[in-house]
Amino acid sequence: MAHGRLAVVSHPSLGLPPPDRSAGLPDAAARIRSNQERLAARALRVAMDADPTIEKRFDEAQLRHLLRDAELLAERVALCLETGDPDAAREYAEWTAPVYRRGGISMDDVVALCEGLRAAFPSTLAPGELPPAGAALDAAITVYRWHRRIAGDARRKNAFLRFLYKGG
């Protein structure tokens, strides 16, 4: 979906039905939900292995928040699998990007969590269930990367340029 267009969303007051939770892969969604904590822990570990500075930049409380965020991302992917529509992950990314930015968490770190979930899903999902989960993660990653370009993102800056502009 292109930015600037609104998706057709269910809205009870408009008479539209809610998303059908049996239209996709409800069994796969149930497996994700039952293994949510393990998947989130694996996702965070994969993200920290890919970028060792995560452990240095975040204290223990912030790492626990990232772990909880990975659980919420897994829940959103489970909803996408249930309904057969990756838009739920895209919407979640749109809602959470400003929260992450206010918290000083870079979009690159959130993308690393998404990629960590992608690496963790084969332990829970069957090979045929991985493409829809990947599509949901791709939808979220696209949004996080789009928000990454906005000024003020907490991405790493060039130390030399910071020195020139701030004098120290």
Side-chain angles (χ1 to χ4, degrees), residues 3 21 24 37 47 91 102 107 115 122-124 129-130 146:
H3 289 280
R21 292 200 166 211
E37 287 116 13
E91 290 169 355
R102 271 193 309 263
M107 297 296 109
E115 293 297 343
S123 67
T124 304
E129 297 165 341
L130 290 173
W146 186 84

Side-chain angles (χ1 to χ4, degrees), residues 133-146:
L137 288 171
D138 289 338
I141 288 170
T142 300
V143 170
Y144 288 131
R145 286 195 175 138
W146 186 84

Side-chain angles (χ1 to χ4, degrees), residues 46-60:
V46 168
M48 289 190 299
D49 288 345
D51 182 6
T53 64
I54 289 176
E55 287 181 275
K56 296 174 185 144
R57 288 185 284 126
F58 297 114
D59 62 12
E60 185 178 340

Side-chain angles (χ1 to χ4, degrees), residues 39-40 42-44 46-47 66 69-74 76-77 89-90 92-93 96 100 107-122 133-134 136-145:
L39 290 169
R42 177 72 182 133
L44 183 58
V46 168
L66 283 177
D69 292 339
E71 289 178 24
L72 294 173
L73 279 166
R76 193 47 69 148
V77 171
R90 182 193 53 76
Y92 179 78
T96 58
Y100 287 128
M107 297 296 109
D108 291 335
D109 294 335
V110 182
V111 168
L113 275 180
C114 291
E115 293 297 343
L117 277 175
R118 187 187 313 269
F121 280 152
L137 288 171
D138 289 338
I141 288 170
T142 300
V143 170
Y144 288 131
R145 286 195 175 138

Side-chain angles (χ1 to χ4, degrees), residues 5-30:
R5 290 185 177 168
L6 296 176
V8 175
V9 289
S10 63
H11 196 289
S13 66
L14 297 178
L16 299 174
D20 182 10
R21 292 200 166 211
S22 62
L25 303 166
D27 294 336

